Amino acid sequence: MNLRLTSSALALAAMTAPAFADVTSEQVWQSWVDYYQSMGYTVTEGGRSKAGETLTLSDVAIKGGPADGQVNMAIPQITLTEDSGKVTTVFADSMTGTAKGTDADGEGYELPFAVAMPGNKIVTSGATGDMTHEFDYPTMDFTLTTMKSGDKETALPVKLGVADTTGTFHIVSGAASKYDYAMKSAKVTFSGDVADETDGRVKFEGNLDGIEASGDMALPSGGVKPDQDMNAALKAGMAMNGVLKAGALVASFDFSGQTEEGQPQSGAGKYDGKGFDLSYALSQDGMSYQAGSDAGKFSLTTSDVPFPIEYAIDSGSFDMQMPVMKSDEAQPFKFAYSLGGLTLGDGIWNLFDAQGKLPRDPASLDIDVTGTAKVTSDLFDQTATTADDADADGDVAPADATDDATADGMTDAAPADDAEAAADSAAEADADAAPQPFEPVDVAINQFALNALGAKVTAEGALKAPEGGDITTPVGKIDATYEGVNGLIDKLGAMGLIPQDQIMGVRMMLAMFAKPVTEGEDKLATQLEFKADGTIFANGQQIK
């Protein structure tokens, strides 16, 4: 996760959001420049002129971002017009830019793009240090044409359109700048036709309805730039949070090309989703990320598979909350995941259940885990280094003379002596013993529920690290129940997925950990107890 992109994304969004306002157009422009500089960007102007109440800026360039993902934006003209205490800002209808960076293989790339914003308008009101900006963008069209990677340039015809975007951007400046925003877009459309070096091709198109976004950010003063040192910015008081909601998403694609073996390959797919939402928060108090999805379905046909691949869900959600700053005190964390109404297409089922012996009812999974953990190092601290080549005092150990020895029959490739071998072993031991960034102190399984294939498994419990120990030898208890498991074993045996001569062994293994709850019902229960001395009991019987 590269959270440095967050600051860059906010900065770029602000370019198409309000140019900050004050009582004069000059102050508006300067406020905008100050904002970009606080985010690690530079703003230069090719020229400026003032005619009446209108300030005109020409050939404006905005450059900046992290080293592995810089953006250069060129704006031919910006006009700022004063009218009754307000300032109206209008950008040129067309702008261009270039994104530069390094890919996963360490090779540099260049991605030129164009932005068209006909009819854009921003009206700013307020006073120095407290300004509100209302923006109206009837159309925003983003276009890619090519991509340069190393010495190669390939066509990359991709388009993204955003219609009827309105909203507000509010800034309060002072010892620390504070921003909040709210915006809506009626529709987003996208399309592309991308080819690769082997004459393969991927075409895609889709649309997204009803986007809403809101959030706020506090940015500390003092020259700390999030894109350069996120950890320092957080310690200085940087905090941000946001929410994004969207309606139906419909997308389709088709592709053609070759497999790794050189055989022709083609296919097509479609996704139809009813909506989603996500939210995030980041500060020195911690990081959180939540996402939720309404019903959605996916289908894929490909020449490699003789049947369509299809699946659908009714809902899904994800919730992660974790600390980010080092502390000797335990800090809370959370992980939750939910997947409801998962169904698979008959083509997938028939691979292993052609006769339909297994229930094909929708499956579900719910996980909710909370606890506390000690954080041994700041999550965003990029100054931490390893000492693989240094001794305990931080001095670099000299190379051993045996590396180049040739006396007494030793060759240039002479093996390391015992001292080198011992040093290597010590280095490996130190690496293995290095503290983990998170050391859980206690964990609560609030919910675990799996419902699939006619069987259901639930569990709950709590574990904690013993006095003077760690969570690898926990103390606590977990209770679990199983419904329909024996019936599922019977079906799997009848299908041949469990050999008949192994079914008895499977049942015996299950009986070691689970006991019947009610006579005559296919319901089992397990209670696992973890003792301080390291022993483990299952339903009162010691298993370790």
Side-chain angles (χ1 to χ4, degrees):
M1 182 183 300
N2 187 353
L3 290 179
R4 289 181 300 167
L5 293 176
T6 305
S7 60
S8 300
L10 285 171
L12 290 175
M15 186 278 296
T16 53
F20 301 118
D22 204 50
V23 293
T24 69
S25 53
E26 288 85 358
Q27 291 169 327
V28 170
W29 172 241
Q30 188 59 49
S31 295
W32 187 30
V33 172
D34 292 343
Y35 169 78
Y36 276 101
Q37 289 178 344
S38 72
M39 299 295 291
Y41 286 75
T42 61
V43 180
T44 59
E45 55 189 83
R48 71 161 65 190
S49 61
K50 185 75 177 282
E53 303 299 321
T54 299
L55 173 67
T56 300
L57 306 166
S58 58
D59 298 326
V60 177
I62 303 174
K63 300 180 180 181
D68 56 355
Q70 294 221 336
V71 175
N72 299 338
M73 195 78 189
I75 308 173
Q77 180 175 285
I78 302 174
T79 61
L80 301 95
T81 303
E82 302 165 13
D83 183 11
S84 303
K86 297 181 179 181
V87 174
T88 298
T89 303
V90 176
F91 291 93
D93 287 353
S94 299
M95 297 169 272
T96 59
T98 304
K100 299 180 180 181
T102 306
D103 61 22
D105 297 326
E107 188 171 42
Y109 69 85
E110 234 179 78
L111 192 65
F113 60 89
V115 182
M117 296 175 55
N120 72 86
K121 181 177 67 174
I122 305 159
V123 178
T124 307
S125 60
T128 302
D130 190 344
M131 296 168 284
T132 300
H133 324 277
E134 300 178 42
F135 54 95
D136 184 357
Y137 305 143
T139 301
M140 290 189 290
D141 291 321
F142 301 85
T143 304
L144 307 179
T145 55
T146 60
M147 178 176 180
K148 296 180 180 179
S149 181
D151 297 329
K152 299 178 181 178
E153 182 174 355
T154 57
L156 190 67
V158 175
K159 294 182 178 180
L160 173 68
V162 185
D164 297 328
T165 299
T166 59
T168 61
F169 193 90
H170 177 222
I171 178 172
V172 178
S173 59
S177 298
K178 296 182 180 180
Y179 313 93
D180 62 81
Y181 64 92
M183 60 165 284
K184 293 182 179 181
S185 296
K187 196 179 192 67
V188 176
T189 59
F190 53 91
S191 63
D193 186 353
V194 184
D196 61 24
E197 298 177 355
T198 62
D199 294 329
R201 185 173 295 277
V202 176
K203 296 181 181 180
F204 60 89
E205 63 180 2
N207 60 78
L208 180 64
D209 290 333
I211 294 179
E212 296 183 24
S214 61
D216 58 70
M217 180 176 71
L219 192 64
S221 59
V224 179
K225 295 179 174 58
D227 66 310
Q228 297 177 3
D229 193 339
M230 178 66 78
N231 196 55
L234 291 173
K235 287 186 174 181
M238 178 181 175
M240 64 177 70
N241 66 79
V243 176
L244 174 65
K245 298 180 180 180
L249 168 62
V250 177
S252 61
F253 65 92
D254 62 79
F255 62 91
S256 61
Q258 295 181 353
T259 65
E260 294 181 356
E261 294 76 23
Q263 299 299 315
Q265 181 186 44
S266 61
K270 183 176 182 179
Y271 176 80
D272 189 347
K274 301 306 179 185
F276 67 88
D277 62 86
L278 61 87
S279 61
Y280 71 90
L282 177 63
S283 71
Q284 60 183 322
D285 295 329
M287 175 175 64
S288 66
Y289 180 82
Q290 292 90 26
S293 173
D294 294 331
K297 57 184 179 180
F298 174 81
S299 63
L300 171 67
T301 58
T302 171
S303 56
D304 294 345
V305 181
F307 58 85
I309 299 172
E310 300 173 323
Y311 70 85
I313 64 168
D314 288 339
S315 63
S317 66
F318 176 84
D319 184 356
M320 181 187 70
Q321 302 174 33
M322 59 190 295
V324 297
M325 292 296 175
K326 177 181 178 181
S327 175
D328 293 332
E329 300 296 323
Q331 303 178 69
F333 69 85
K334 177 180 182 179
F335 174 79
Y337 177 79
S338 176
L339 182 64
L342 172 64
T343 56
L344 304 177
D346 289 338
I348 298 176
W349 278 108
N350 292 337
L351 284 175
F352 53 88
D353 184 26
Q355 297 180 352
K357 293 183 177 294
L358 294 175
R360 300 186 180 185
D361 299 332
S364 64
L365 173 64
D366 289 285
I367 301 173
D368 184 355
V369 177
T370 57
T372 63
K374 292 183 179 179
V375 182
T376 61
S377 61
D378 295 344
L379 182 64
F380 294 96
D381 186 2
Q382 298 180 16
T383 63
T385 57
T386 59
D388 294 339
D389 298 322
D391 61 17
D393 296 324
D395 298 325
V396 177
D400 192 277
T402 56
D403 290 343
D404 298 317
T406 56
D408 299 327
M410 296 180 69
T411 66
D412 290 338
D417 61 12
D418 293 341
E420 281 185 309
D424 291 340
S425 297
E428 292 178 1
D430 288 342
D432 293 337
Q436 299 300 312
F438 293 92
E439 296 179 356
V441 174
D442 58 77
V443 177
I445 304 173
N446 304 307
Q447 181 179 33
F448 175 87
L450 174 62
N451 191 343
L453 302 176
K456 184 177 182 180
V457 179
T458 61
E460 61 180 12
L463 303 173
K464 65 178 181 179
E467 189 70 29
D470 57 43
I471 203 69
T472 59
T473 56
V475 176
K477 185 187 298 184
I478 296 177
D479 293 295
T481 60
Y482 320 88
E483 297 181 39
V485 174
N486 281 307
L488 177 59
I489 292 174
D490 290 337
K491 291 183 176 69
L492 295 176
M495 296 167 59
L497 295 179
I498 300 179
Q500 290 294 326
D501 59 351
Q502 296 181 18
I503 290 181
M504 183 60 70
V506 172
R507 294 193 188 281
M508 291 177 63
M509 182 66 69
L510 184 62
M512 291 177 60
F513 294 94
K515 61 181 181 180
V517 175
T518 305
E519 190 68 28
E521 294 184 6
D522 189 0
K523 187 173 182 180
L524 306 172
T526 298
Q527 184 179 85
L528 293 176
E529 294 181 87
F530 300 82
K531 304 291 188 178
D533 59 2
T535 57
I536 302 175
F537 291 78
N539 299 320
Q541 299 294 318
Q542 185 173 349
I543 58 175
K544 179 182 177 183

